[in-house]
Amino acid sequence: MSSSLYDSFCKSSGCKTKIHYHIASYVWTIEDFHFHEAKGERLVSPVFSSVTNNQVKWYLSLTPNNGKNDAKDFVSLFLYMSEHSSLEKGEKVFVETTFYILNGKGEEEFHQTPPIEEFVHLTSWGYVEFVKKDAKFRNKMLSNKALTIRCDVKFSDMNDISEECHQRDCSMEVRECNLSENLASLFENQEFTDVVLSVNGKDFPAHKNILAARSAVFRAMFTHSTKEKELNRVDIEDISEQVVDEMLKYIYTGKCLNIKKFAGGLLAAADKYDLYQLKTMCAKTLFEGLSVENAASILTLADMHGAKELKNKVIKFIVSNPTEVMGTEGWKNIRSNFELADEVCLAIAKQLKKTTN
């Protein structure tokens, strides 16, 4: 289009795009924060919503202790979309969140604002290291031993976008990019596949270029002179069919809908094929489901597959509940792993020393 024609078009038409949004503001006061800090348990707020849109529901998750040692200790804070939200399948909400810490006068002492994110059911967003528990935190952000969090959630979906046009109908539909759906279809329909992942006699046709783009291990496998490259076949003996299926769906779409069911197996698969984000997602899911009964088995998984942050958190949990955890069946397996058992016992001994001092 020539510049003169373009100028003429701009002068004779115009549009305003408006995004209608809703705001949910929630204040969460955690009394006796030091008590929760000592217990180290993950806290979950009640569900809240916007006055103008109560179909989308939210809740907060706060972990009082996060960090690798006492010198680097953080509060972790995340916003979740509740499973009770009434959204259509595949419907997305775009969210801008601001987390605040309020002092005793209700004034804002600290805040963080993550970038705008796309949410669906059970999506979460926030900070593993939201605020450092330093002197300022203790003296200014805690009031009468209470921590007060305010969360402002500003959200909209694509159906809340409208346009006002004048002089010329300039509305043009721009469809949302469905890359993940397209790749999921490519995987499910097995179109143009050039490699097979074989698990216990079950074949999963796939695409070398997609596997290589997502995994450095697959990339190296298909780049160098390997049996897999020559035969266009990858034999997998140490991962179950269901886990390989879930791993491939993640590779193609970036999503893992059944992560809670297969978190342990997917952690092992992600470690084997260098899928860092999936490994982090699995570690987060395992930690959220941590209990006395499964602490020993999760610690074994974390140690075996190099999930260091998860391992440190589980050890810290065991230090807080040593008698209960050591009485479980899972602990018997750790006892045979002398190095790991010594690491846990050393952490317990350090904690006892601090307590007695």
Side-chain angles (χ1 to χ4, degrees):
M1 182 183 293
S2 68
S3 59
S4 59
L5 182 58
Y6 177 79
D7 291 341
S8 174
F9 175 82
C10 289
K11 291 175 181 177
S12 63
S13 65
C15 288
K16 287 184 179 180
T17 300
K18 291 185 176 181
I19 300 179
H20 305 290
Y21 55 83
H22 311 276
I23 296 178
S25 186
Y26 184 74
V27 177
W28 184 21
T29 299
I30 302 169
E31 301 285 352
D32 297 315
F33 178 79
H34 65 294
F35 178 78
H36 297 288
E37 187 178 12
K39 292 183 68 177
E41 295 178 348
R42 173 175 174 257
L43 305 174
V44 176
S45 78
V47 172
F48 61 94
S49 62
S50 167
V51 175
T52 58
N53 185 339
N54 61 6
Q55 292 185 325
V56 184
K57 301 181 185 299
W58 313 91
Y59 67 91
L60 299 172
S61 169
L62 183 144
T63 305
N65 297 313
N66 214 320
K68 296 182 178 180
N69 50 56
D70 292 337
K72 187 182 180 184
D73 207 0
F74 289 81
V75 174
S76 170
L77 183 64
F78 284 84
L79 172 72
Y80 283 78
M81 179 185 286
S82 170
E83 61 185 350
H84 301 297
S85 297
S86 303
L87 296 181
E88 298 294 331
K89 183 178 180 182
E91 188 175 357
K92 300 170 183 177
V93 173
F94 299 88
V95 181
E96 181 180 55
T97 310
T98 304
F99 299 121
Y100 299 91
I101 294 180
L102 308 181
N103 61 24
K105 298 179 181 179
E107 300 167 336
E108 299 165 4
E109 285 287 348
F110 178 83
H111 76 276
Q112 294 267 37
T113 303
I116 293 176
E117 282 296 318
E118 178 183 288
F119 273 63
V120 294
H121 277 146
L122 302 179
T123 302
S124 67
W125 186 255
Y127 296 94
V128 174
E129 297 182 351
F130 171 58
V131 61
K132 188 173 183 179
K133 296 188 294 183
D134 53 14
K136 181 180 178 182
F137 175 83
R138 304 284 181 192
N139 298 330
K140 291 189 175 182
M141 300 184 199
L142 294 183
S143 175
N144 295 323
K145 300 180 180 180
L147 176 65
T148 300
I149 302 289
R150 191 182 90 211
C151 176
D152 291 347
V153 186
K154 182 177 179 180
F155 62 98
S156 170
D157 58 42
M158 293 304 291
N159 295 326
D160 286 331
I161 298 178
S162 64
E163 294 188 356
E164 295 178 358
C165 300
H166 58 85
Q167 295 189 25
R168 181 190 295 269
D169 181 11
C170 61
S171 60
M172 298 179 66
E173 181 182 2
V174 179
R175 295 186 177 182
E176 182 184 357
C177 176
N178 295 319
L179 179 60
S180 64
E181 287 83 355
N182 297 149
L183 291 178
S185 176
L186 189 67
F187 170 65
E188 291 169 2
N189 296 330
Q190 302 179 5
E191 298 176 318
F192 315 115
T193 57
D194 55 2
V195 68
V196 168
L197 275 62
S198 181
V199 188
N200 298 324
K202 181 175 177 59
D203 290 343
F204 295 90
H207 306 79
K208 288 182 179 178
N209 53 354
I210 293 178
L211 298 182
R214 300 282 278 159
S215 163
V217 174
F218 281 123
R219 184 178 184 84
M221 188 183 294
F222 301 138
T223 300
H224 300 97
S225 298
T226 62
K227 176 183 67 175
E228 290 81 6
K229 178 181 178 182
E230 182 179 348
L231 299 178
N232 297 323
R233 182 183 184 86
V234 180
D235 292 312
I236 301 175
E237 299 178 352
D238 54 350
I239 305 175
S240 71
E241 299 172 25
Q242 297 94 330
V243 170
V244 169
D245 186 43
E246 290 296 324
M247 179 186 74
L248 285 171
K249 288 176 181 176
Y250 166 79
I251 286 175
Y252 277 78
T253 68
K255 300 175 183 177
C256 197
L257 301 181
N258 295 311
I259 192 168
K260 287 186 178 181
K261 185 176 181 180
F262 299 109
L266 284 168
L267 178 70
D271 183 44
K272 179 177 181 177
Y273 292 107
D274 195 18
L275 300 166
Y276 176 78
Q277 186 181 23
L278 178 59
K279 187 174 178 180
T280 302
M281 290 165 59
C282 291
K284 181 175 181 290
T285 300
L286 288 167
F287 179 68
E288 289 175 348
L290 182 64
S291 67
V292 167
E293 289 73 22
N294 64 22
S297 59
I298 291 178
L299 178 60
T300 301
L301 273 173
D303 181 61
M304 186 181 300
H305 299 295
K308 294 182 180 179
E309 185 176 359
L310 176 61
K311 178 181 175 181
N312 291 335
K313 290 181 177 180
V314 177
I315 289 177
K316 192 168 185 179
F317 176 83
I318 294 175
V319 168
S320 300
N321 306 274
T323 305
E324 295 87 346
V325 174
M326 291 181 180
T328 63
E329 285 294 316
W331 183 255
K332 294 179 181 179
N333 296 325
I334 289 186
R335 285 164 55 187
S336 61
N337 185 336
F338 300 117
E339 186 175 340
L340 184 57
D342 285 347
E343 193 172 347
V344 175
C345 291
L346 181 60
I348 294 173
K350 288 182 178 179
Q351 181 61 35
L352 288 173
K353 185 177 180 180
K354 287 182 182 178
T355 304
T356 56
N357 290 341

